[in-house]
Amino acid sequence: MIVNTARFVISNSDPAKCPSEQKHEYAFIGRSNVGKSSLINMLTGHKDLAKTSSTPGKTMLINHFLINDNWYIVDLPGYGYAKRSKGDRLKLEQIIKSYIASRQQMTNLFLLIDSRHKPQKIDLDFMSWLGENGIPFSIVFTKLDKLSSTAGKRQVEVYCETLLEQWDELPPVFRTSSQDRRGRDAILDYIEEMNKLPLI
Ligand code: GTP
Ligand code: MG
């Protein structure tokens, strides 16, 4: 798919105030600093569309971006940032979960995992919650440019093996780098296919 236009529409902390149109939506979630905003900029080809930062916790709101006047990308706040107060963390988690659980237009959730790390409980618990709530999701491994190709391959394999201890089958898996743009076509082609499905 070619991204012709990408524009910021609205930021919100209240899922009820997000755009109400019946358009396909693809949200991006994962731990703080995993690379959600960078991936969105890479996919859209607009380097400053979503705000990125080397300091975790940059994205604090639900951000809607309209692509090709036809479908939405949603940048969500990261979860699990240790330096936030417990109260703030719970509040953000509540915003994220209420958005995900209530958004009937959300065709797929991309859950980002930093390819350099071993499987973390916080992500595995989050996936369990997605499963329990019947949320369709895919896994996106990020920052693969930071590993050699052998190490990257191995990290993804180990992660998938861990998932298969808990799940009967794997969700779709994408291997990406926002730096060298790998994985871009695979994700955009996947979205293009999903856009053809009717919204229920
Ligand atoms: P929050 O909004 O705080 O939850 O973070 P985020 O998940 O949106 O992460 P963001 O895109 O802001 O990126 C965090 C840091 O990782 C930035 O310094 C990025 O430049 C860096 N980064 C993101 N993706 C990649 C990647 O694919 N490769 C490399 N080398 N660095 C990356
Ligand atoms: Mg962000």
Side-chain angles (χ1 to χ4, degrees):
M1 166 164 31
I2 295 170
V3 173
N4 291 313
T5 58
R7 70 180 173 86
F8 168 73
V9 176
I10 194 168
S11 286
N12 254 302
S13 60
D14 181 356
K17 295 194 183 133
C18 291
S20 59
E21 301 140 276
Q22 288 301 305
K23 289 189 188 312
H24 285 279
E25 246 175 59
Y26 302 87
F28 293 76
I29 187 72
R31 295 191 78 169
S32 215
N33 219 38
V34 68
K36 299 175 291 295
S37 303
S38 303
L39 183 74
I40 289 170
N41 292 338
M42 184 274 261
L43 290 174
T44 57
H46 286 52
K47 75 177 169 47
D48 295 320
L49 189 66
K51 300 278 173 288
T52 64
S53 166
S54 53
T55 317
K58 179 72 185 172
T59 309
M60 292 288 291
L61 295 164
I62 305 164
N63 299 288
H64 273 72
F65 302 97
L66 184 60
I67 313 300
N68 293 349
D69 287 324
N70 185 35
W71 54 279
Y72 283 103
I73 279 181
V74 183
D75 192 13
L76 292 171
Y79 54 75
Y81 179 40
K83 284 195 185 152
R84 277 205 184 101
S85 72
K86 193 164 180 210
D88 278 355
R89 259 182 294 166
L90 286 175
K91 198 169 136 216
L92 268 185
E93 190 181 315
Q94 210 267 328
I95 292 173
I96 293 167
K97 286 190 166 169
S98 74
Y99 166 81
I100 292 173
S102 68
R103 218 48 197 170
Q104 149 274 334
Q105 305 93 316
M106 194 185 66
T107 303
N108 183 67
L109 178 70
F110 290 101
L111 172 57
L112 275 62
I113 301 289
D114 189 325
S115 58
R116 296 169 298 171
H117 305 318
K118 286 201 292 253
Q120 314 265 313
K121 185 173 184 305
I122 190 166
D123 296 316
L124 299 174
D125 286 351
F126 190 76
M127 279 181 232
S128 299
W129 180 82
L130 294 175
E132 283 156 20
N133 287 276
I135 311 291
F137 70 98
S138 314
I139 296 184
V140 176
F141 290 97
T142 64
K143 307 192 185 184
L144 274 156
D145 60 281
K146 292 195 178 223
L147 295 171
S148 70
S149 66
T150 321
K153 208 167 162 232
R154 184 73 198 130
Q155 286 291 98
V156 171
E157 269 168 19
V158 168
Y159 206 101
C160 291
E161 281 163 17
T162 306
L163 287 182
L164 286 170
E165 290 168 11
Q166 205 178 326
W167 296 79
D168 290 337
E169 54 185 277
L170 290 175
V173 167
F174 298 95
R175 295 157 175 81
T176 70
S177 159
S178 298
Q179 192 125 311
D180 63 24
R181 294 159 57 99
R182 83 183 78 170
R184 183 173 188 267
D185 289 346
I187 293 182
L188 288 176
D189 289 350
Y190 181 70
I191 291 175
E192 188 168 29
E193 282 309 305
M194 304 283 264
N195 278 346
K196 292 178 186 159
L197 300 173
L199 274 171
I200 318 152

